Amino acid sequence: MRHFFGAFLLGMATLTVMPTEKVLAGTLTGQQPIVIGHRGASGYRPEHTLAAYELAIQMGADYIEPDLVATKDGVLVARHENALAILNADGTLNLTDTSTDVYERLQFADRKTTKVIDGRSITGWFTEDFTLAELKTLRAIERIPGIRPENTQYDRQFEIPTLQEVIDLAKAQSAALGRTIGIYPETKHPTYFDSIGLSMEEILVSVLNANGYVDETAPVYIQSFEVSNLKDLNQLTNVSLVQLINPSGRPYDFVVNGDSRLYRDLITPLGLAEIATYANGIGANKNLIIPRDSQGNLLSPTTLVDDAHAAGLIVHAWTFRDENVFLPTNLQGNPQEEYKRFYQTGIDGLFSDNPDTAFAVRSTLVPEPGTIFGLGFVPLLGWLFRRRK
């Protein structure tokens, strides 16, 4: 009951925001949508570094997102992939999927290998072949230097952080700023890590429990593109869980288990109802919320946000980036308008490489009058007391 009234009062507080521009549609809980620093403020610093996370917080992010992979000695660290550096078929360095300087380290030349990760053959260096102490000798570099050359000035300055270090940062910044900073970890390739004896779920829950993150009141969301991984987590923890949804393909655990369903099957009313039995929300590719036409122009919204809300699920959209290469054709040079259109669908949050832009646009918007008593209130009751085990 205390949880309900806390959320209720928080929802009421959002109604006091002064309108300055367009109106927000109702979120599931009636609270304003959260801004999630996607791999930190990765539009401005090399991703998944403490510097990127801290900058995201300074720019107004409510949550910071560490993708999690495991080391040889079973420590969870923040990297977008377990591949630390990838080589192309011709032996040259892949300049869109390399996030560390491991390829320059002669002492680790013998760690280069070829593996099959989620059905894809990859040649490079992998976290599970390094101890944490060894990984700590490496330094992060900008993953997409062709798009973000200005970020390369920070290459080789920052370590690979552990999950615990990310949590420590979030807690320290919460105390310093007087507002709660949450964490939004993603378990990467859980079926693969299970197959090599480095099951991530137990390690992750152990770290969360040790830090007092034990239930849905904790400022934590765990996300995954796989389903069985989240169902396992649902038996291990009461923190909030989010099913990630791709616009194509199917979860890799479905591939392994012979389940023919696609991601799109998971966002039918029947699929959403099933997700609601083990998770609190969905993390949807933004093209599933507002699609683009064949020329890349943004079209009208689908019903996904309303459908998910009807099932009692929150919706977080990914990923927003300011560069024109990522923007709709009809919104080139105007990332602010893209944010506005998505906020107006009623999404409950979004992932952004540029949290300053996401925060600034959100600050110009105001929830619809009476949201907490209208669209947001009835689903709120179900959301607060749902996800039965």
Side-chain angles (χ1 to χ4, degrees):
M1 186 59 69
R2 292 174 62 189
H3 181 194
F4 168 73
F5 280 110
F8 180 86
L9 292 173
L10 284 171
M12 290 293 290
T14 66
L15 300 181
T16 65
V17 178
M18 296 302 293
T20 57
E21 200 171 309
K22 299 183 180 181
V23 174
L24 269 173
T27 60
L28 179 65
T29 64
Q31 301 177 49
Q32 67 179 357
I34 62 172
V35 172
I36 306 147
H38 183 244
R39 311 176 195 170
S42 53
Y44 309 103
R45 297 290 187 276
E47 65 188 29
H48 291 310
T49 60
L50 292 181
Y53 296 132
E54 184 171 2
L55 182 58
I57 294 168
Q58 293 169 357
M59 288 179 164
D62 305 295
Y63 283 75
I64 50 178
E65 184 221 20
D67 294 336
L68 299 180
V69 293
T71 67
K72 184 176 182 179
D73 44 350
V75 180
L76 296 181
V77 296
R79 287 289 89 192
H80 177 52
E81 294 290 343
N82 58 324
L84 298 162
I86 294 178
L87 299 181
N88 297 316
D90 63 1
T92 59
L93 186 68
N94 185 309
L95 295 178
T96 60
D97 276 315
T98 293
S99 67
T100 75
D101 64 354
V102 65
Y103 61 94
E104 299 175 334
R105 304 301 185 97
L106 294 179
Q107 70 269 36
F108 297 131
D110 62 347
R111 306 291 175 91
K112 182 181 72 173
T113 187
T114 299
K115 301 188 179 191
V116 177
I117 310 296
D118 292 3
R120 176 190 173 201
S121 179
I122 302 173
T123 297
W125 292 258
F126 301 84
T127 59
E128 64 270 22
D129 297 328
F130 291 76
T131 65
L132 177 62
E134 289 173 329
L135 281 183
K136 281 295 188 179
T137 68
L138 304 180
R139 292 297 179 266
I141 62 173
E142 172 56 41
R143 187 178 60 85
I144 46 175
I147 296 174
R148 294 171 176 164
E150 65 279 3
N151 286 4
T152 62
Q153 66 183 300
Y154 303 105
D155 282 358
R156 300 171 184 81
Q157 293 187 25
F158 309 121
E159 294 182 358
I160 298 174
T162 65
L163 171 60
Q164 185 59 58
E165 288 170 334
V166 176
I167 292 173
D168 290 344
L169 174 66
K171 289 188 171 185
Q173 289 291 304
S174 296
L177 298 175
R179 65 183 181 92
T180 300
I181 308 300
I183 62 167
Y184 207 128
E186 178 187 344
T187 53
K188 303 290 292 190
H189 309 299
T191 292
Y192 168 75
F193 276 106
D194 277 349
S195 75
I196 61 171
L198 285 171
S199 180
M200 303 175 73
E201 294 85 0
E202 296 81 5
I203 304 172
L204 173 55
V205 172
S206 176
V207 174
L208 295 180
N209 287 346
N211 285 276
Y213 298 146
V214 297
D215 58 31
E216 291 180 6
T217 66
V220 177
Y221 292 97
I222 304 174
Q223 56 180 329
S224 179
F225 279 105
E226 296 189 16
V227 174
S228 54
N229 167 238
L230 288 175
K231 289 184 175 181
D232 288 346
L233 284 164
N234 188 38
Q235 300 302 315
L236 296 172
T237 182
N238 288 318
V239 302
S240 296
L241 306 178
V242 173
Q243 177 67 64
L244 293 173
I245 306 291
N246 256 325
S248 62
R250 53 182 172 150
Y252 189 68
D253 57 319
F254 282 13
V255 175
V256 172
N257 297 330
D259 190 324
S260 63
R261 287 178 297 166
L262 305 173
Y263 278 111
R264 286 187 176 271
D265 294 316
L266 301 184
I267 55 175
T268 64
L270 184 62
L272 291 168
E274 180 184 347
I275 290 174
T277 66
Y278 64 85
N280 301 78
I282 61 171
N285 181 291
K286 63 185 181 182
N287 292 332
L288 295 171
I289 298 171
I290 306 181
R292 303 182 187 191
D293 66 18
S294 58
Q295 283 74 48
N297 297 302
L298 210 59
L299 299 172
S300 299
T302 67
T303 63
L304 179 56
V305 173
D306 289 342
D307 293 345
H309 284 176
L313 296 167
I314 57 171
V315 180
H316 295 154
W318 53 271
T319 300
F320 291 79
R321 300 175 170 101
D322 283 3
E323 293 94 349
N324 278 336
V325 66
F326 299 115
L327 290 173
T329 302
N330 54 341
L331 296 179
Q332 294 290 290
N334 190 7
Q336 295 81 4
E337 182 62 26
E338 184 186 36
Y339 284 103
K340 289 176 186 175
R341 295 191 190 186
F342 276 87
Y343 279 138
Q344 288 161 2
T345 66
I347 58 171
D348 303 278
L350 54 79
F351 294 82
S352 177
D353 286 10
N354 307 89
D356 52 340
T357 309
F359 179 83
V361 175
R362 187 185 67 179
S363 298
T364 70
L365 305 174
V366 62
E368 293 176 349
T371 292
I372 191 68
F373 296 104
L375 178 63
F377 184 69
V378 174
L380 173 61
L381 290 173
W383 185 77
L384 289 170
F385 299 105
R386 50 172 306 284
R387 210 187 102 212
R388 299 290 182 252
K389 294 186 177 180

